[in-house]
Structures are given as structure tokens and as C-alpha cells.
Amino acid sequence: MRLSLSCLMKPVLHGYYRSSCSWRVRIAFALKGMEYDQVPVNLVRDGGQQLTTRFKALNPMQQVPAVTIDGFTLSQSLAIIQYIEETRPEPHLLPSEPKTRAQVRMICDIIASGIQPLQNLYVLLKIGEEKIHWGQHFIQRGFEAEAPFASPLQPWSLFWYRQLGNIVLEMRYPWLTFA
């Protein structure tokens, strides 16, 4: 098997220290035991460094995180994490049993697609004065939708520190801790 030089280079994470999406990727790197370099992208300073022409060339959505890995750049935390899982399979972030794996992916999608965009800085700035009430309403709605699916997996959650579900759920469920 031939490895290209790009596969031997450390990934580069372009992220913001307060971004939960960037944290998901950091946690995945840590669980996989992967070293990586970081390039900070301040979402507030200078009107938002993610809005620069330079960052837009890296990620046209102008959001964090973006990861340069294996010679190309990915954005969107779940896509990044799934790529890492597929190209560096050990240790596993997803359970091996298909039904449980699908449930974990469903919970991740509820949070990453149904809740996360609604509490995104860009979205909240567009809402105006009602942003806190509006954001809380939709976040609560998403958590209520996700809870029945997570509850049956509760006994299994002790093992989620090695699972994709824990990466996404880490801010929702404080009792899930990383060993």
C-alpha cells in the first residue's frame, strides 16, 4: 500500500474555541489519538474572521469548523468526523450493531441539523432582540424530540465515550464523561 505525502501530514483544524461544532471535531481527534494543528478563526473579532475572502475560499459556507486533511478540505463537523471514522477506523466512534449505530446517527442528526443551526451566531444575530427566547424555544423543542431516542440507550451510554453519539451529545448530557 502506498501512502501519499498528504496522508502523513497532520490535519489542520480551522475553528473557534467556543464553537460546539469545532469541539466535536477536537473530541473526535482526541478519541482517535490523532495529532492536529489548529488555526483559530475568531467569529467575533474584526466582524467575524470566517467572513473573510481567505476563509471563504477554504469554506464557502463561512462557518467553522473546516479541516484540511489528506490533501483536501472538509467542512461540517459530522462529515469531518465520519471521514475520520472511515479513514482511521480504530478506535471506533460508532457502535458495530446496525440498529444502535442508526439510532446514534439519528440523535446526532437531530442535534446537528435540528438544533445547532438555530443557535448559530449568524442566525441569532439576524433574529434581533427576541434571539434568546426564540433560540431557547427551538433548542428545547429539539431536545424534547431527541430525548425518547436517547433514553433507551442510557445503560449503554457508559460506552459512548468512544462513540460518535457522545461527541455530539457532550454538551446536552453532562453525565457523559470522557475517560
Side-chain angles (χ1 to χ4, degrees):
M1 179 176 161
R2 278 181 57 179
L3 293 174
S4 70
L5 183 58
S6 63
C7 290
L8 300 176
M9 296 174 62
K10 285 196 279 186
V12 178
L13 170 63
H14 302 264
Y16 185 53
Y17 74 101
R18 290 180 56 189
S19 161
S20 59
C21 296
S22 296
W23 272 107
R24 285 183 200 136
V25 175
R26 285 185 195 96
I27 292 167
F29 283 149
L31 292 174
K32 291 287 191 176
M34 294 175 61
E35 292 184 17
Y36 62 97
D37 291 325
Q38 293 191 73
V39 175
V41 180
N42 193 308
L43 302 183
V44 180
R45 186 179 301 142
D46 304 324
Q49 295 172 342
Q50 77 281 11
L51 302 176
T52 64
T53 304
R54 181 176 171 201
F55 191 78
K56 186 175 183 176
L58 188 68
N59 180 0
M61 280 297 290
Q62 296 177 289
Q63 299 172 334
V64 295
V67 172
T68 302
I69 185 170
D70 299 340
F72 73 106
T73 302
L74 282 168
S75 65
Q76 303 302 321
S77 60
L78 291 183
I80 294 165
I81 292 166
Q82 289 173 4
Y83 177 79
I84 293 167
E85 175 72 356
E86 291 169 4
T87 59
R88 292 142 177 97
E90 296 295 329
H92 297 291
L93 297 177
L94 284 168
S96 59
E97 197 275 315
K99 180 181 175 185
T100 308
R101 187 171 56 240
Q103 288 175 311
V104 170
R105 284 184 170 141
M106 178 180 61
I107 292 167
C108 293
D109 282 343
I110 288 171
I111 293 170
S113 299
I115 297 172
Q116 182 71 36
L118 300 173
Q119 56 98 24
N120 183 291
L121 176 63
Y122 181 79
V123 173
L124 292 177
L125 288 174
K126 293 291 183 185
I127 300 301
E129 291 183 25
E130 291 293 315
K131 67 184 174 191
I132 292 175
H133 177 71
W134 186 88
Q136 288 173 342
H137 168 79
F138 286 103
I139 291 168
Q140 183 64 35
R141 182 175 181 257
F143 286 152
E144 288 170 1
E146 161 269 324
F149 301 110
S151 294
L153 298 174
Q154 194 67 26
W156 189 70
S157 69
L158 291 175
F159 302 103
W160 276 17
Y161 74 95
R162 289 272 186 216
Q163 308 298 340
L164 176 61
N166 193 34
I167 294 170
V168 176
L169 293 172
E170 44 87 21
M171 293 190 189
R172 169 64 170 122
Y173 295 103
W175 65 81
L176 293 173
T177 59
F178 298 100

